[in-house]
């Protein structure tokens, strides 16, 4: 399995709901996580395009479903983060409807990357969201971000705690990857996983 080379990555469209998303049938890989988990930085690091996903100091900037076309072959989908205490109840409900609609109805979605901040112990909101995907049969990979920010012992301790928490609900844990947008660590492993899935989809057709 060769390493995937990113030849091109460009923003395609922002959609308010799954029904408005692109209809060309290309496979989609969704990225989602709590605010400030480092999602935009990770997307920029993966694609190698600085500023592709807008990084912002203010969490909650992504309010729509953003599609980026990579190598003319697959979509990287940047989804609005969850867990903002200061958004109003109505916008929280709108987010919930949009996100549920996407995950439960989007046939093109082949894998979801749930981003988890490796610097902190498991958060209930992350565990619940992972549970929501799992109970609805949505394939997912857990991506720990910012592993350069803490000692390895700290990071591995938090990863171990997350495994323990998930093991209470999961018979088989989802795959997990460690990443750092700063050093580029984990980029190859993540792109390789996408490449492997893309290849298996081609073999099916």
């Amino acid at each position: 399995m060769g390493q995937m080379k990113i030849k091109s990555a460009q923003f395609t469209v922002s959609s308010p709901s799954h029904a408005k998303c692109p209809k060309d049938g290309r496979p989609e890989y969704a990225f989602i996580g709590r605010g400030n988990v480092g999602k935009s930085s990770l997307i920029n690091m993966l694609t190698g395009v600085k500023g592709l996903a807008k990084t912002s100091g203010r969490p909650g900037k992504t309010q729509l479903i953003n599609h980026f076309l990579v190598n003319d072959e697959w979509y990287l989908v940047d989804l609005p983060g969850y867990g903002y205490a200061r958004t109003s109840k109505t916008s929280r409900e709108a987010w919930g409807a949009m996100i549920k609609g996407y995950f439960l109805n989007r046939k093109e979605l082949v894998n979801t990357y749930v981003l988890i901040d490796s610097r902190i112990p498991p958060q209930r909101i992350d565990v619940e969201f992972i549970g929501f995907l799992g109970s609805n049969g949505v394939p997912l990979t857990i991506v720990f971000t910012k592993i350069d920010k803490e000692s390895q012992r700290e990071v591995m301790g938090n990863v171990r705690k997350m495994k323990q928490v998930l093991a209470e609900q999961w018979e088989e844990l989802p795959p997990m990857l460690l990443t750092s947008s700063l050093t580029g660590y984990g980029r190859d492993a993540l792109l390789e996983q996408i490449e492997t899935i893309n290849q298996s989809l081609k073999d099916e057709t």
Side-chain angles (χ1 to χ4, degrees), residues 42 45 116 118 141-147 152 155-156 158-159 176-181 184-190:
L42 182 77
M45 181 268 276
I116 304 286
S118 70
T141 298
I142 294 172
V143 177
F144 290 95
T145 60
K146 307 186 182 188
I147 64 161
Q152 199 179 355
V155 167
M156 293 325 287
N158 288 331
V159 170
M176 298 184 185
L177 297 171
L178 299 174
T179 64
S180 159
S181 298
Y185 186 88
R187 180 177 192 258
D188 290 356
L190 209 157

Side-chain angles (χ1 to χ4, degrees), residues 116-191:
I116 304 286
D117 190 332
S118 70
R119 302 172 300 177
I120 52 177
Q123 303 292 300
R124 201 183 81 195
I125 191 161
D126 290 327
V127 174
E128 282 175 0
F129 186 73
I130 291 165
F132 158 73
L133 293 179
S135 60
N136 285 290
V138 180
L140 72 124
T141 298
I142 294 172
V143 177
F144 290 95
T145 60
K146 307 186 182 188
I147 64 161
D148 56 279
K149 303 277 192 268
E150 288 291 342
S151 72
Q152 199 179 355
R153 213 184 83 204
E154 192 84 13
V155 167
M156 293 325 287
N158 288 331
V159 170
R160 196 175 61 245
K161 284 179 203 149
M162 179 58 96
K163 285 180 175 170
Q164 285 165 348
V165 171
L166 291 179
E168 293 166 19
Q169 302 173 340
W170 291 69
E171 283 169 36
E172 195 185 330
L173 294 181
M176 298 184 185
L177 297 171
L178 299 174
T179 64
S180 159
S181 298
L182 197 68
T183 66
Y185 186 88
R187 180 177 192 258
D188 290 356
L190 209 157
L191 289 176

